[in-house]
Amino acid sequence: MTTKLFRGAHIYTPMKEDRPASGAAQGNLLEWKDGGFLVENGRISLIGERRDVERQAGKNGNKTVDAEVDLGGAVVVPGFVDPHTHACVAALREGEFSMRLAGKPYLEILKAGGGILSSVRSVRAASEDELFRFSAKLLETTLRYGTTTVEIKSGYGLDRENELKMLSVIARLGREGAGRGVVQTVVPTFMGAHAVPEEYRTKPDSYVVMLRDEMLPAVAKQGIAKFCDVFCEDGVFSVAQSRRILQKAAELGMRLKIHADEVHDLGGAALAGELRTASAEHLLAASDEGIDAMAKGGVVAVLLPATAYSLKKPFARARSMIERNVPVALATDLNPGSCFCQSMPFVASLAMMGMNMTPGETLTGITLNAAWAVGLEEEVGSLEPGKLADFVVLDGETPAILAYASGICPIRSVWKRGERV
Ligand code: NIG
Ligand code: FE
C-alpha cells in the first residue's frame, strides 16, 4: 500500500453525475487553483483545496504519506480517454493517403479493394507478435500525448480466426501495454462488421449471416469484447443489416456502438437512438432527426474531428448536438486509412477551432463523456475519490492551451495510476 500526496496542482475536472454531461452541463468544470490530491494504490482517495487535503491526509496522524509530489502550480486535468480507435494494425497506408490528396475519394479506394481491405490483407498475414509490436508502438505515442485509456476495435480480420486473433492481441495490449511498465486501460470492441471481406464480395448478406451465427457467438464465448460496433454506411452495411447484427450482439450480452452517418446520412444516428447504443460515432452527415433520436435514447455522440480534417470534409455539428442535449465525446479514430492521428490534444484543438466547442465542453469531451462512451465512467474520466489517478499536467494556464498552442503538444507530464509515464 503506497500513499502519495500531490500538491501545487491547479486542477480542472468535470464531475460525474448519474448520466453523461449534456447541454449546458457539458461545459461545467470544477476548478481548484491551489489544489491537491491523495493517491492510495493508484486511486484517488482525497481531492480538493490543498489545505483541506493536507489536513485530512493526516499530517495529524490518520494516514501515513509515503511520498509527496509538488507540481509547482501547473494545470492538472484528467488523463485523456480515447473512445474510438482502430489501433490494432500491422501496417500503415501512406500511399493511399497520397491518392486521397490527389482527389480520390475514401469510399472509392475501398470499393476498388484498397482501404480497409488492404489493412485486412496485412493483418491476416501478420503473426500475433507482429501485430502486437506494431500496435504497441502506436499506443506508446498516444500515451505520450496524454491518452491513459483507449478503446480499440477489431475489424481488420473479417473472418473468425483473424477477428479472434485481433481481439487476443487487443487483450494483450491491455495487459502489457507498450511494454515499458506503464499500461493504458484498454477497452476491446468487436468490429467484424467493418467491411465485407473480398471472399464475400458477391454475397454480402451471407457475410452478415456468418457474422451473426458464427463470429459473434465465438467472440461472446471467449468474453473478449465489451462492445460490438458496425460500419453503417453506403456500400458497407445498411441500416437493416446493422440492426440485425447489433440486436444479436445485445442478445449475447455485448454493449453497442455504431459508426453512423460518417459520409452519407443513412439513418445510422436514428438507429442508435432506437437501439439505445452506448454511442454513435462520426456523425458528419447526421440529420436533426437523427440527433434528436440520439438525445432521446441517451446515446453519446463520439465526434472525430481529425477524421473530417483528414478526409477534407465539414466537421460534425457539435453545437447542434450540445444544444439538443446530446452528450458529446471526442476521439482520434486512430487508423491507417481515414485518419492517422495519435494525438488527443490535436483533436481537442480541432474541437475548439473547427466545431466551436468551449474549452470546458472539450475537456469533458476528451475525458468524462469519453469514459461514458466506453462504459468506464466509474473508473476514469474525472478526478474524484475512487477513480484511477490518471492525469495530465499541462503546460499552460487553462485547458484552452490545447488549442492556443497550435501544432505542438502542451503536455508537461502524463501520469497513470499515480505513476509518472
Ligand atoms: O472510422 N469508417 C470506418 N472505419 C474507420 C476507417 C478505417 C480504415 O480506413 O482503415 C473510420 O474512419
Ligand atoms: Fe472508426
Side-chain angles (χ1 to χ4, degrees):
M1 174 99 160
T2 63
T3 304
K4 256 188 209 172
L5 176 67
F6 289 85
R7 286 188 267 104
H10 184 170
I11 301 167
Y12 288 92
T13 181
M15 293 294 270
K16 184 183 162 285
E17 305 210 357
D18 57 2
R19 71 184 72 157
S22 65
Q26 167 129 19
N28 292 344
L29 299 179
L30 264 181
E31 178 185 356
W32 289 291
K33 273 206 168 81
D34 183 14
F37 47 101
L38 192 70
V39 175
E40 293 182 62
N41 280 340
R43 283 183 194 268
I44 297 169
S45 57
L46 289 171
I47 187 159
E49 287 295 344
R50 176 186 51 83
R51 264 174 302 135
D52 298 341
V53 171
E54 279 178 348
R55 189 167 356 103
Q56 286 185 59
K59 290 263 160 162
N60 28 24
N62 328 344
K63 279 181 181 146
T64 357
V65 173
D66 302 309
E68 296 195 15
V69 182
D70 192 338
L71 295 170
V75 166
V76 172
V77 297
F80 306 147
V81 178
D82 188 348
H84 180 143
T85 82
H86 306 258
C88 184
V89 287
L92 298 180
R93 289 168 12 219
E94 194 173 330
E96 184 185 294
F97 178 68
S98 300
M99 285 161 69
R100 289 205 287 109
L101 282 181
K104 199 159 170 87
Y106 173 76
L107 285 178
E108 256 175 48
I109 297 174
L110 175 61
K111 250 187 229 150
I116 294 173
L117 295 175
S118 136
S119 289
V120 171
R121 287 188 288 275
S122 55
V123 163
R124 285 182 178 178
S127 69
E128 284 206 18
D129 270 341
E130 287 165 339
L131 203 48
F132 174 80
R133 278 199 300 273
F134 200 96
S135 313
K137 255 179 109 176
L138 298 180
L139 290 189
E140 196 187 327
T141 307
T142 68
L143 184 61
R144 276 197 275 127
Y145 281 76
T147 300
T148 46
T149 296
V150 60
E151 184 256 18
I152 309 177
K153 303 173 197 294
S154 70
Y156 295 122
L158 306 189
D159 61 27
R160 180 173 148 153
E161 178 197 337
N162 285 290
E163 284 295 310
L164 290 174
K165 175 174 88 182
M166 284 191 77
L167 288 167
S168 131
V169 169
I170 292 169
R172 184 171 161 201
L173 290 165
R175 286 192 308 272
E176 297 173 28
R180 288 201 174 181
V182 183
V183 180
Q184 287 160 308
T185 302
V186 170
V187 179
T189 295
F190 167 65
M191 199 175 179
H194 196 191
V196 175
E198 263 150 344
E199 58 277 20
Y200 281 88
R201 181 184 279 265
T202 56
K203 39 175 187 169
D205 273 323
S206 317
Y207 182 65
V208 174
V209 171
M210 192 278 284
L211 194 147
R212 275 181 31 136
D213 297 346
E214 291 176 35
M215 281 159 87
L216 268 174
V219 169
K221 194 166 158 217
Q222 294 201 7
I224 46 176
K226 178 169 178 176
F227 288 93
C228 175
D229 194 346
V230 176
F231 189 11
C232 180
E233 181 58 67
D234 223 7
V236 192
F237 295 97
S238 67
V239 170
Q241 289 171 325
S242 303
R243 184 186 285 106
R244 264 182 265 142
I245 294 164
L246 291 174
Q247 277 173 340
K248 174 77 177 200
E251 279 166 31
L252 290 168
M254 284 179 224
R255 297 190 63 194
L256 308 181
K257 293 181 167 292
I258 178 169
H259 279 57
D261 305 336
E262 175 176 356
V263 186
H264 302 99
D265 176 23
L266 281 200
L271 178 63
E274 172 195 323
L275 298 178
R276 306 183 83 84
T277 59
S279 63
E281 333 223 325
H282 287 289
L283 304 164
L284 298 184
S287 64
D288 288 349
E289 295 71 43
I291 294 173
D292 286 337
M294 285 174 57
K296 224 171 128 205
V299 179
V300 178
V302 175
L303 303 185
L304 310 153
T307 309
Y309 168 84
S310 171
L311 294 177
K312 298 191 182 183
K313 300 231 180 253
F315 292 109
R317 296 184 297 140
R319 286 256 59 89
S320 307
M321 294 179 196
I322 291 171
E323 270 155 31
R324 287 165 186 263
N325 270 308
V326 173
V328 171
L330 297 157
T332 59
D333 195 19
L334 168 56
N335 74 77
S338 64
C339 182
F340 183 48
C341 171
Q342 295 159 92
S343 166
M344 286 297 273
F346 179 61
V347 168
S349 165
L350 292 178
M352 287 184 254
M353 305 307 293
M355 299 198 294
N356 293 320
M357 289 175 67
T358 66
E361 289 166 348
T362 301
L363 187 69
T364 301
I366 59 176
T367 58
L368 185 56
N369 277 358
W372 277 98
V374 295
L376 286 182
E377 67 278 3
E378 302 289 346
E379 280 288 290
V380 295
S382 57
L383 300 174
E384 298 181 66
K387 287 199 171 183
L388 293 181
D390 294 358
F391 58 95
V392 172
V393 180
L394 294 177
D395 231 340
E397 295 168 11
T398 65
I401 190 66
L402 293 168
Y404 179 50
S406 358
I408 60 152
C409 178
I411 290 181
R412 203 171 283 176
S413 58
V414 179
W415 300 70
K416 178 73 186 162
R417 295 174 185 265
E419 298 294 331
R420 188 170 177 161
V421 174

